[in-house]
Amino acid sequence: MRTLTLISCALLPLALAAQTVQSPDGNLILNFSLSGQGEPTYELSYKGKPVVKPSRLGLELAKDKHASKQMDETSLMQGFVVANTTTSTFDETWQPVWGETKDIRNHYNELAVDLHQPKEQRNMVLRFRVYDDGMGFRYEFPQQKELNYFIIKEERSQFAMAGDHTAWWLPGDYDTQEQETQETKLSGIRSRFNQAVNWSNSSVSVFSPTGVQTSLQMKTDDGLYINLHEAACVDYATMHLDLNDTTMMFESHLTPDATGMKGYMQTPCQSPWRTIIVSDDARDMLASNLILNLNEPCKIEDTSWIHPTKYVGVWWEMIVGKRNWHYTNDFPSVKLDTEYWKTATPHGNHGATTANVKKYIDFAAANGIDQVLVEGWNVGWEDWANMWKRDVFDFVTPYPDFDLDELNRYAQARGVKLMMHHETSSSTQNYERHLDAAFNLMNRYGYDAVKTGYVGDIIPRGDHHYSQSTNNHYQYVIEQAAKHRIMVNAHEATRPTGLCRTWPNMVGNESARGTEYEAFGGSRPDHTLILPFTRLQGGPMDYTPGILETQLNTWSENPNTIHTTLVGQLALYLTMYSPLQMAADLPENYAKYADAFQFIKDVPCDWQDSRYLEAEPARYITVARKDKKSDDWYVGGKCNEDGHKSVLKLDFLDKGRSYEATFYVDAPDASYDKNPKAYKIFKRKVKAGDTLRLTQAPGGGFAVSLKAK
Amino acid sequence: MRTLTLISCALLPLALAAQTVQSPDGNLILNFSLSGQGEPTYELSYKGKPVVKPSRLGLELAKDKHASKQMDETSLMQGFVVANTTTSTFDETWQPVWGETKDIRNHYNELAVDLHQPKEQRNMVLRFRVYDDGMGFRYEFPQQKELNYFIIKEERSQFAMAGDHTAWWLPGDYDTQEQETQETKLSGIRSRFNQAVNWSNSSVSVFSPTGVQTSLQMKTDDGLYINLHEAACVDYATMHLDLNDTTMMFESHLTPDATGMKGYMQTPCQSPWRTIIVSDDARDMLASNLILNLNEPCKIEDTSWIHPTKYVGVWWEMIVGKRNWHYTNDFPSVKLDTEYWKTATPHGNHGATTANVKKYIDFAAANGIDQVLVEGWNVGWEDWANMWKRDVFDFVTPYPDFDLDELNRYAQARGVKLMMHHETSSSTQNYERHLDAAFNLMNRYGYDAVKTGYVGDIIPRGDHHYSQSTNNHYQYVIEQAAKHRIMVNAHEATRPTGLCRTWPNMVGNESARGTEYEAFGGSRPDHTLILPFTRLQGGPMDYTPGILETQLNTWSENPNTIHTTLVGQLALYLTMYSPLQMAADLPENYAKYADAFQFIKDVPCDWQDSRYLEAEPARYITVARKDKKSDDWYVGGKCNEDGHKSVLKLDFLDKGRSYEATFYVDAPDASYDKNPKAYKIFKRKVKAGDTLRLTQAPGGGFAVSLKAK
């Protein structure tokens, strides 16, 4: 059902000093006004409590050397009068191609403020949309005689917090998001900052000791949950937040390009939406669709080729260090345009060999896994990121021991597809040059999904991962891929902002610290209890769960252990929503835990409904999801190092119906650090109204499948 | 005939302190030595006179933030020992696909110095080639364990001049070469610098008040001609020269990219050749093939599709201001991805209309002109350069009044081809995204040549026209074009360095102040007497001569006049060698001077032989050329504002043969400024051994065709 109701569009008095708009349920109240200097100002409250205290909005423009040639320079920060305001209501229910629910309601009250700078004869619109679960606003720049091109020196959107909230934050960085999340008061950011930076990442560019990334999750002392992020970041730089830790005022801080500037704009255009999700119930934060709703509807006409996907891959054994991406040690460095590969001596430990890939294909075919990712299949891995090397990969030339033709034939004969891998080494220039040939090769062999990667510093040199220009590159790849009917899962790309609504072939992103860090030293047990509140607000993450052999030294020389119990890994398939789910461990490890692996085989990755049953950032998340293709439900719970006892009312099940429930639970003595692989599996019949009492071990969780009878 | 004689390859004692190599004729002597600090040093003399006094060679490397990851940082400037030296002789005659002569002799003595830094365990080779007409040297960086990746902060190649020579120079600039050449002593550069800069160019980036461009032509007080330039600049930044005007020492100054760095290198690799052409006869400077010889042989296997081309175009009427490139004035700015073009109102003065182009096609067909260039045919010209606008053109969408299909059909039915135009607006990123589709469109319609343009600041933003990365872009376009069998004539691209030997589909470049400036206010009459000594050393220039209506206000509102006589325009087809020659004036202007236009119809643009008969920089140039396809000769003379009397011995003609000579000469009272269009045409029979006495008017010239009987 798709309804659209434009209830009112009232013209209001000119030069109105202040204007108010409420959420449909009346809990959120937004006030807009102009200061005496004509500065746009807003404030937001929730059930009478301040969420954002009066805060300024505007953009600082840059002087350009071509100033004489029509480039506007006066900032869009003050000297405004209100020319007009318009309020309206919108209520629509739409269906995502894939998602947590099959229907999404988009219901908001809108205030559009037409601002005018009389001296410069320029116009700008501030558009506010107030939902029951938060609000968004953006800047719009209509085409007009006196504002055609301008350069953003900085966006000056303020978010004045009402107190010294608890925050779950990552250090603001132009090039990486792969840090461990910090939990401090806002006033504690500065002193924690330096140790929060992931200095060993392949590309690091911090900018302020109180600069943090979005999505930023906070909790007030009186129990309000507030999340700041953005939606629909298209042809615009990714936003960070810089905190004045005296006033507790955040201000937007955009990612610069190589010139140091933040945005090159041509009207008509607009900023992304700046989003504030707010509730007094943490579960609402996870159930919110505000960011998807603020994105444009799907632009792909025929979406029949886009599908949720479960996959395995030749990957974890390289991450753990047992095999290599590269093929030979013969050369101190390599170039693409050589005959190296024909004569090179293999070092004998290459992961992407024809024989090894066949093992994964057989495993996928035997277990109903859709696809097999293969990393390190193409020449160039001998030396790649962080040499400032532009022509690093060609994305079409396999290593001599990888039989592209035979492997695709072998896979397809078994009902399995290979998944393509394009590590760009952040040389976006090189990737764009090879993109069409690379996608044509995928079409020729029948690949329909690619995992892309952006490790290392961006080339064109001097640019950053999250700048307007690099964001434009990611978007260019998504749109080119759509033309080739290819799904994209971009790693190390900018954090998502809900663009998967518009381009549902963007089925995944990394953009945070993934499971790989468990092999690099570990992530805290609460890490996956924060990500759904932060990183996942903008779109799904290819977190690559399912490491059932949590002790890596049982099969490799890697001394690290996974910071969850084995059952905790199963729970992640539910608590970390994604339409793309990897079973990341090795086939031989799954063979050791075949009964637990059954859950990974069973769990869908597309849903008709989702209910968050319990949630607290960094503490616990419990969710029930209904399979999109059946009446079966799945319930998963995950907790931090403190363990958690869940009491769950099964009131979401169909009334009068019986369900065969299979429980995957931590054993009573299980714990992520001392006894991670102690689990129990048992079956029981349940029905609507029943109550489940489940105990999660420290760093543990549970997973339940409920098959409708 | 192609001969290759490797005469000797002698291994010499290790750690040799000094080494000498001479030119084949013994006139040039190069000395190499190491300083006490292990700094490579060279000096050069000609007939006993110093050309380059002892000068250091080396490269300063940059520290990189990824230093820990194998990036070498110790400069390659000192601490060297000589590990080995090798001398050899090379003598080969090769045939260019097109050129001033059908055979080119490549004869040099070579010295290769293997340098070693014992502390860093690194190796570098300095290779010197000494010709009768000058020398070249370059840095070579073999692949090796301790030198794989490095960043060039600056190349430190010195060229110590022996005196305060007269120089014909352009201000060193990272983004433009379209200045008027200055003639001063070296000591006069600083005081003249500011007025020498073309501040009104669409992209200007000067770096030093004594920084000049190459090719730099000099003349010593005792009559030596010295030219400094470079050859084979591939994946390396374009070099400028920065003068210490106390010591008269030049040092190389490379063009930076957006990071400020000058080069990102991976071994094995090498620098371009740094060239020093020297003679005591100015004619030798023009006849030199040293720069072509220092380039690699042709890399295009089948060159049958590459051909010299004469063309007319829908161009001059826009340059003069009578018509426009753009189509509509409806919008304050335009975007590609809109429906603007379908509904826009034409302003009525668009140049590239179907009707206007047909007029040029008819004219070309009637006069044996090969191709018709059309600028402004594709959407986007409403606003383009210098707005920092990335997605400026798509190179495939014609304006509504340009019938792409019909015009190509119409032209081809008349034995004429259209010539494609791709103005990139310096958005190299955008051009690369559209390149394949643009070339495919050309292939589909039968275009085989494209004029490209790079007006405005480079995008990716912060980069420069002559940086390593942008030079790589130009090279990428050349190589992609070759795959599509397309010839390229790049305007505003970096100055050529002889790469047309390797890639003869690069049939032209602008890279200097072309005829268009005559409509923008004028160029001095001596301008075209300097370009052959400077700009043309690296390859041909699409100068677009042939403006017979030298007074623009006779047909437009442009008040400017051409700074040559009408006959002077004819002479340029000979004195400014190019395989691509435009007849740049309008058909209706050629109709007014049909007898003079006959020379433009007759003159070939490919030659089997060329003889420079008279030459002095900025004063006069006279050259005789023999048609590649017949035994006909053509002689052209051009002089500066002082006029010139030529006495020419026709000793190059076939003995005993009679020639029907047609003379196009200035009338006795002609002058470029007061009486430019006064000319005489007469015929006479001549034979070998005859002497011609021809008087050139101020800013005039002459042109003679000699048809063999």
Side-chain angles (χ1 to χ4, degrees):
Chain A
M1 183 194 69
R2 184 185 172 91
T3 63
L4 188 153
T5 322
L6 192 64
I7 294 183
S8 75
C9 181
L11 283 172
L12 291 154
L14 295 184
L16 196 73
Q19 181 78 17
T20 294
V21 64
Q22 299 188 351
S23 58
D25 66 6
N27 285 336
L28 276 125
I29 297 177
L30 167 83
N31 273 299
F32 171 82
S33 61
L34 281 181
S35 76
Q37 285 73 49
E39 298 154 310
T41 306
Y42 77 108
E43 60 185 310
L44 180 71
S45 66
Y46 176 80
K47 294 183 181 172
K49 294 177 182 172
V51 177
V52 179
K53 295 196 300 177
S55 299
R56 300 270 155 78
L57 297 176
L59 295 108
E60 184 181 351
L61 304 192
K63 294 213 184 301
D64 184 63
K65 64 174 177 171
H66 296 296
S68 59
K69 297 170 185 162
Q70 286 181 240
M71 197 69 74
D72 284 293
E73 293 175 3
T74 306
S75 288
L76 294 159
M77 295 179 71
Q78 54 185 22
F80 284 105
V81 298
V82 173
N84 192 23
T85 64
T86 314
T87 58
S88 60
T89 292
F90 188 84
D91 191 359
E92 173 193 60
T93 298
W94 58 279
Q95 288 71 40
V97 175
W98 45 260
E100 296 188 74
T101 56
K102 76 174 171 47
D103 295 310
I104 294 178
R105 186 177 180 190
N106 186 11
H107 186 198
Y108 58 81
N109 292 325
E110 178 174 292
L111 168 65
V113 184
D114 294 349
L115 294 166
H116 183 65
Q117 284 177 317
K119 190 172 155 210
E120 295 81 11
Q121 285 293 304
R122 300 188 306 186
N123 303 309
M124 178 174 84
V125 178
L126 269 172
R127 190 175 302 276
F128 300 89
R129 290 183 179 167
V130 186
Y131 293 79
D132 288 346
D133 54 351
M135 67 163 283
F137 66 84
R138 71 174 180 186
Y139 304 89
E140 298 177 357
F141 313 98
Q143 191 174 43
Q144 55 197 287
K145 187 156 172 292
E146 299 300 333
L147 187 65
N148 285 292
Y149 292 90
F150 58 99
I151 300 174
I152 298 174
K153 187 171 177 185
E154 188 59 275
E155 181 181 323
R156 301 287 184 194
S157 299
Q158 297 180 342
F159 305 84
M161 297 295 100
D164 187 12
H165 308 328
T166 298
W168 290 271
W169 56 274
L170 301 177
D173 193 306
Y174 300 150
D175 286 294
T176 182
Q177 298 150 152
E178 298 187 358
Q179 307 91 341
E180 191 87 90
T181 307
Q182 304 300 315
E183 178 179 326
T184 70
K185 291 283 186 184
L186 293 178
S187 58
I189 291 175
R190 185 183 295 274
S191 61
R192 183 76 71 81
F193 191 86
N194 202 54
Q195 73 186 84
V197 177
N198 182 358
W199 295 108
S200 66
N201 192 270
S202 59
S203 188
V204 179
S205 303
V206 295
F207 58 86
S208 158
T210 55
V212 299
Q213 304 196 18
T214 70
S215 129
L216 176 69
Q217 179 64 48
M218 289 171 283
K219 186 178 182 181
T220 71
D221 286 347
D222 54 357
L224 269 195
Y225 300 89
I226 302 172
N227 182 289
L228 303 180
H229 191 35
E230 59 180 316
C233 183
V234 176
D235 206 11
Y236 201 89
T238 296
M239 181 180 72
H240 309 265
L241 296 171
D242 203 6
L243 178 69
N244 179 329
D245 53 1
T246 305
T247 62
M248 300 305 158
M249 167 100 80
F250 286 108
E251 191 172 273
S252 52
H253 180 104
L254 303 181
T255 308
D257 72 7
T259 67
M261 293 296 105
K262 307 297 183 81
Y264 292 86
M265 309 294 283
Q266 179 188 0
T267 64
C269 55
Q270 66 280 322
S271 76
W273 294 94
R274 280 60 185 93
T275 62
I276 305 162
I277 308 176
V278 57
S279 178
D280 51 13
D281 184 334
R283 297 175 302 178
D284 294 342
M285 309 302 287
L286 301 180
S288 171
N289 286 308
L290 184 141
I291 287 172
L292 287 178
N293 279 329
L294 286 170
N295 274 270
E296 296 295 310
C298 181
K299 290 195 176 176
I300 301 174
E301 215 156 306
D302 171 14
T303 59
S304 62
W305 50 275
I306 300 171
H307 52 82
T309 302
K310 217 180 289 179
Y311 74 104
V312 292
V314 180
W315 174 75
W316 185 239
E317 50 192 314
M318 280 99 87
I319 291 288
V320 166
K322 191 153 182 170
R323 293 208 193 222
N324 291 312
W325 283 267
H326 72 291
Y327 172 77
T328 181
N329 295 327
D330 279 4
F331 312 105
S333 82
V334 297
K335 295 187 181 186
L336 280 186
D337 55 349
T338 64
E339 303 291 296
Y340 286 179
W341 320 108
K342 292 183 184 160
T343 58
T345 324
H347 57 53
N349 205 24
H350 182 217
T353 65
T354 301
N356 197 35
V357 174
K358 281 189 177 177
K359 193 181 76 178
Y360 281 83
I361 293 170
D362 291 341
F363 177 79
N367 292 287
I369 307 282
D370 306 305
Q371 302 206 353
V372 177
L373 167 74
V374 188
E375 297 204 356
W377 69 276
N378 59 321
V379 298
W381 288 89
E382 279 64 25
D383 60 341
W384 49 297
N386 284 334
M387 309 300 181
W388 291 115
K389 180 178 177 178
R390 189 196 56 226
D391 300 330
V392 61
F393 295 111
D394 70 4
F395 313 98
V396 297
T397 307
Y399 279 121
D401 59 352
F402 181 87
D403 190 334
L404 185 63
D405 196 62
E406 161 67 6
L407 283 170
N408 278 282
R409 193 199 55 72
Y410 187 88
Q412 283 159 35
R414 284 153 185 78
V416 173
K417 274 190 187 342
L418 293 189
M419 184 181 285
M420 180 48 78
H421 184 234
H422 291 166
E423 174 55 54
T424 68
S425 185
S426 293
S427 182
T428 63
Q429 184 183 22
N430 180 60
Y431 192 36
E432 291 195 10
R433 284 182 177 180
H434 291 91
L435 197 60
D436 203 52
F439 284 166
N440 282 336
L441 179 127
M442 287 179 63
N443 287 157
R444 193 157 66 249
Y445 284 103
Y447 291 85
D448 71 0
V450 60
K451 173 182 173 181
T452 61
Y454 293 87
V455 172
D457 292 323
I458 294 290
I459 300 176
R461 301 175 185 106
D463 208 340
H464 293 290
H465 277 72
Y466 314 138
S467 68
Q468 179 191 32
S469 42
T470 309
N471 284 349
N472 175 277
H473 163 81
Y474 306 131
Q475 184 61 25
Y476 177 74
V477 172
I478 293 296
E479 295 186 24
Q480 295 302 308
K483 288 180 192 162
H484 288 266
R485 299 168 77 96
I486 287 171
M487 298 181 284
V488 179
N489 163 26
H491 281 226
E492 296 93 14
T494 201
R495 42 193 173 272
T497 57
L499 288 169
C500 57
R501 177 181 178 188
T502 314
W503 299 96
N505 66 318
M506 187 166 69
V507 292
N509 274 113
E510 186 185 43
S511 312
R513 188 179 179 94
T515 295
E516 62 188 7
Y517 277 85
E518 296 282 26
F520 302 160
S523 296
R524 292 197 317 267
D526 65 359
H527 181 56
T528 54
L529 286 321
I530 301 167
L531 290 174
F533 286 92
T534 54
R535 164 62 185 78
L536 269 56
Q537 290 291 4
M541 175 172 178
D542 183 30
Y543 185 72
T544 71
I547 306 300
L548 300 192
E549 184 45 84
T550 65
Q551 291 164 304
L552 303 182
N553 67 1
T554 59
W555 62 276
S556 77
E557 292 173 12
N558 189 311
N560 291 294
T561 60
I562 310 301
H563 288 65
T564 74
T565 64
L566 183 150
V567 167
Q569 288 290 310
L570 302 183
L572 296 176
Y573 289 89
L574 292 161
T575 58
M576 297 273 288
Y577 165 71
S578 175
L580 184 75
Q581 288 286 20
M582 189 175 198
D585 213 339
L586 275 57
E588 50 266 44
N589 290 332
Y590 287 132
K592 288 163 63 181
Y593 305 103
D595 55 352
F597 179 63
Q598 184 63 41
F599 180 80
I600 299 177
K601 290 171 64 172
D602 289 345
V603 66
C605 43
D606 201 16
W607 309 103
Q608 52 175 303
D609 201 3
S610 291
R611 309 282 178 92
Y612 285 90
L613 306 178
E614 303 181 286
E616 181 64 18
R619 305 297 182 266
Y620 50 83
I621 295 172
T622 303
V623 65
R625 302 191 193 270
K626 187 177 187 182
D627 182 19
K628 199 162 189 175
K629 292 180 181 154
S630 74
D631 289 333
D632 299 343
W633 283 82
Y634 293 78
V635 185
K638 181 81 193 69
C639 69
N640 70 359
E641 65 276 19
D642 299 331
H644 182 64
K645 288 185 194 300
S646 293
V647 180
L648 308 172
K649 191 90 173 165
L650 300 183
D651 50 8
F652 46 83
L653 297 179
D654 289 346
K655 285 200 172 32
R657 197 154 186 184
S658 173
Y659 294 82
E660 166 87 13
T662 306
F663 293 79
Y664 303 79
V665 297
D666 293 317
D669 57 347
S671 72
Y672 77 95
D673 50 351
K674 300 200 183 65
N675 193 18
K677 292 176 286 189
Y679 62 95
K680 291 193 302 180
I681 300 172
F682 58 91
K683 289 180 195 288
R684 204 172 97 189
K685 283 210 162 47
V686 299
K687 61 179 191 305
D690 286 358
T691 297
L692 300 182
R693 289 167 205 279
L694 295 162
T695 300
Q696 303 176 44
F702 67 82
V704 186
S705 63
L706 299 118
K707 305 271 185 190
K709 290 292 162 189
Chain B
M1 184 193 67
R2 183 182 172 93
T3 64
L4 189 154
T5 321
L6 191 64
I7 294 184
S8 74
C9 181
L11 284 172
L12 291 153
L14 294 185
L16 196 74
Q19 182 77 19
T20 295
V21 64
Q22 299 189 353
S23 58
D25 66 6
N27 285 337
L28 277 125
I29 297 177
L30 167 83
N31 271 298
F32 171 82
S33 61
L34 281 181
S35 76
Q37 284 72 48
E39 298 155 310
T41 306
Y42 77 108
E43 59 186 309
L44 180 71
S45 66
Y46 175 81
K47 293 183 182 173
K49 293 177 182 172
V51 177
V52 179
K53 295 196 300 177
S55 298
R56 299 271 154 77
L57 298 176
L59 294 108
E60 184 180 351
L61 303 192
K63 293 212 184 300
D64 183 63
K65 63 175 177 171
H66 296 295
S68 60
K69 297 171 184 161
Q70 287 181 242
M71 197 69 73
D72 285 293
E73 292 175 359
T74 306
S75 288
L76 294 159
M77 294 178 72
Q78 53 185 21
F80 284 106
V81 297
V82 173
N84 192 22
T85 64
T86 314
T87 58
S88 60
T89 292
F90 187 83
D91 191 358
E92 173 194 59
T93 297
W94 58 279
Q95 287 72 41
V97 175
W98 44 259
E100 295 188 74
T101 56
K102 78 175 169 49
D103 295 310
I104 294 178
R105 187 177 179 190
N106 186 11
H107 186 199
Y108 58 81
N109 291 325
E110 177 174 293
L111 167 67
V113 184
D114 294 350
L115 294 165
H116 183 65
Q117 283 178 316
K119 191 171 154 210
E120 294 81 10
Q121 285 294 305
R122 300 189 304 186
N123 303 309
M124 178 175 84
V125 178
L126 270 172
R127 192 175 301 277
F128 299 89
R129 289 182 180 167
V130 186
Y131 293 80
D132 288 347
D133 55 351
M135 67 162 282
F137 66 84
R138 71 174 180 186
Y139 303 90
E140 298 178 358
F141 312 99
Q143 191 174 43
Q144 54 197 286
K145 187 155 173 291
E146 299 300 333
L147 187 64
N148 286 292
Y149 293 89
F150 59 99
I151 299 174
I152 298 173
K153 188 170 178 186
E154 189 59 275
E155 181 182 323
R156 300 288 183 193
S157 300
Q158 297 179 339
F159 305 84
M161 296 295 100
D164 188 10
H165 309 328
T166 297
W168 290 271
W169 57 274
L170 300 177
D173 193 305
Y174 300 150
D175 286 296
T176 182
Q177 299 149 151
E178 299 187 357
Q179 307 91 341
E180 190 88 88
T181 307
Q182 305 299 315
E183 178 179 326
T184 70
K185 290 283 186 183
L186 294 177
S187 58
I189 291 175
R190 185 182 295 273
S191 60
R192 182 76 70 81
F193 190 85
N194 202 55
Q195 72 185 83
V197 175
N198 181 357
W199 296 108
S200 66
N201 192 271
S202 59
S203 188
V204 180
S205 304
V206 295
F207 57 86
S208 158
T210 54
V212 298
Q213 304 196 18
T214 71
S215 125
L216 176 70
Q217 179 64 47
M218 290 172 281
K219 186 178 181 181
T220 70
D221 286 346
D222 54 357
L224 270 194
Y225 299 89
I226 302 172
N227 182 289
L228 302 180
H229 191 36
E230 60 179 316
C233 183
V234 176
D235 207 11
Y236 201 89
T238 296
M239 179 179 74
H240 308 265
L241 296 170
D242 203 6
L243 178 70
N244 178 328
D245 53 1
T246 306
T247 62
M248 301 305 157
M249 167 99 81
F250 285 109
E251 191 172 273
S252 52
H253 179 104
L254 302 181
T255 308
D257 73 7
T259 67
M261 293 294 107
K262 307 297 182 82
Y264 291 86
M265 310 294 284
Q266 180 187 359
T267 64
C269 56
Q270 66 279 321
S271 75
W273 295 93
R274 279 58 185 95
T275 61
I276 304 163
I277 308 176
V278 55
S279 178
D280 50 14
D281 185 333
R283 296 175 302 178
D284 294 341
M285 309 302 288
L286 302 181
S288 173
N289 286 307
L290 183 141
I291 286 172
L292 288 177
N293 279 330
L294 285 169
N295 275 270
E296 295 295 309
C298 181
K299 289 194 176 176
I300 301 174
E301 214 156 304
D302 171 14
T303 59
S304 62
W305 50 277
I306 300 171
H307 52 82
T309 302
K310 218 181 287 180
Y311 74 105
V312 292
V314 179
W315 175 76
W316 185 239
E317 52 192 312
M318 280 98 88
I319 291 288
V320 166
K322 191 154 182 170
R323 293 205 191 224
N324 290 312
W325 282 267
H326 73 290
Y327 171 77
T328 181
N329 295 327
D330 279 4
F331 313 104
S333 80
V334 297
K335 294 187 181 185
L336 279 186
D337 56 348
T338 63
E339 302 291 294
Y340 286 180
W341 320 108
K342 292 182 184 160
T343 56
T345 324
H347 56 53
N349 205 25
H350 182 216
T353 65
T354 301
N356 197 34
V357 174
K358 280 189 177 177
K359 191 181 78 177
Y360 281 83
I361 293 171
D362 291 341
F363 177 79
N367 293 287
I369 306 283
D370 306 305
Q371 302 205 352
V372 176
L373 167 74
V374 187
E375 297 203 357
W377 69 275
N378 59 320
V379 298
W381 287 90
E382 279 65 23
D383 60 339
W384 50 295
N386 284 333
M387 308 300 182
W388 290 115
K389 180 179 178 177
R390 189 197 55 224
D391 300 331
V392 61
F393 295 111
D394 70 4
F395 313 99
V396 296
T397 308
Y399 280 121
D401 59 351
F402 181 88
D403 190 334
L404 185 62
D405 196 62
E406 160 67 7
L407 283 170
N408 278 281
R409 193 200 55 71
Y410 187 89
Q412 282 158 35
R414 283 154 184 78
V416 172
K417 273 191 188 341
L418 292 190
M419 184 180 285
M420 179 48 77
H421 185 235
H422 290 166
E423 174 56 54
T424 69
S425 187
S426 293
S427 181
T428 63
Q429 184 184 21
N430 179 60
Y431 191 36
E432 291 195 9
R433 285 182 177 180
H434 291 90
L435 197 60
D436 204 51
F439 284 167
N440 283 338
L441 180 128
M442 287 180 62
N443 288 157
R444 193 158 65 250
Y445 284 102
Y447 290 86
D448 71 0
V450 60
K451 173 182 174 180
T452 61
Y454 293 88
V455 172
D457 292 323
I458 293 289
I459 300 176
R461 302 174 184 105
D463 208 341
H464 293 290
H465 278 72
Y466 314 139
S467 69
Q468 179 191 32
S469 42
T470 310
N471 284 348
N472 176 277
H473 163 81
Y474 305 131
Q475 184 62 25
Y476 177 74
V477 172
I478 293 295
E479 295 185 23
Q480 296 302 308
K483 288 179 193 164
H484 288 266
R485 299 169 78 95
I486 287 171
M487 299 181 284
V488 178
N489 164 27
H491 280 227
E492 297 94 14
T494 201
R495 42 195 174 270
T497 57
L499 288 169
C500 57
R501 176 182 179 186
T502 314
W503 299 97
N505 66 319
M506 187 168 69
V507 291
N509 274 111
E510 185 184 44
S511 310
R513 188 180 179 93
T515 295
E516 63 189 6
Y517 278 84
E518 296 280 28
F520 302 161
S523 296
R524 293 197 318 267
D526 65 0
H527 181 56
T528 53
L529 287 320
I530 300 167
L531 290 174
F533 286 93
T534 55
R535 165 63 186 78
L536 269 57
Q537 290 291 4
M541 175 175 178
D542 184 30
Y543 185 72
T544 72
I547 306 300
L548 302 192
E549 184 44 84
T550 64
Q551 291 165 305
L552 304 182
N553 66 1
T554 60
W555 62 276
S556 77
E557 291 173 12
N558 190 311
N560 291 294
T561 61
I562 310 300
H563 288 65
T564 73
T565 63
L566 182 151
V567 167
Q569 288 289 311
L570 302 182
L572 295 175
Y573 289 90
L574 291 161
T575 58
M576 297 274 288
Y577 166 70
S578 176
L580 184 75
Q581 288 285 20
M582 188 175 198
D585 213 339
L586 274 59
E588 49 266 44
N589 290 332
Y590 287 132
K592 288 163 62 182
Y593 306 102
D595 55 352
F597 178 64
Q598 184 63 42
F599 181 79
I600 298 177
K601 289 171 64 172
D602 289 346
V603 67
C605 44
D606 202 16
W607 308 101
Q608 54 175 301
D609 201 3
S610 292
R611 309 282 178 91
Y612 286 90
L613 306 179
E614 303 180 287
E616 181 64 18
R619 305 296 182 268
Y620 51 81
I621 294 173
T622 303
V623 64
R625 302 191 193 272
K626 187 177 187 182
D627 182 19
K628 200 162 188 174
K629 292 182 182 154
S630 74
D631 289 333
D632 300 342
W633 283 80
Y634 293 78
V635 186
K638 181 82 192 68
C639 69
N640 70 358
E641 66 275 18
D642 298 331
H644 183 64
K645 287 184 193 303
S646 292
V647 180
L648 308 171
K649 189 92 173 165
L650 300 182
D651 50 7
F652 47 84
L653 297 179
D654 288 347
K655 286 202 171 36
R657 196 151 186 186
S658 174
Y659 293 82
E660 166 88 13
T662 306
F663 292 79
Y664 303 79
V665 296
D666 293 317
D669 57 346
S671 71
Y672 78 95
D673 51 350
K674 300 200 184 64
N675 193 18
K677 291 176 285 187
Y679 62 95
K680 292 193 303 181
I681 301 172
F682 58 91
K683 290 180 192 288
R684 205 173 98 187
K685 283 212 161 45
V686 300
K687 62 179 192 305
D690 286 357
T691 298
L692 300 182
R693 288 166 205 281
L694 295 164
T695 299
Q696 303 175 45
F702 67 82
V704 186
S705 64
L706 300 117
K707 305 271 185 191
K709 293 290 163 188

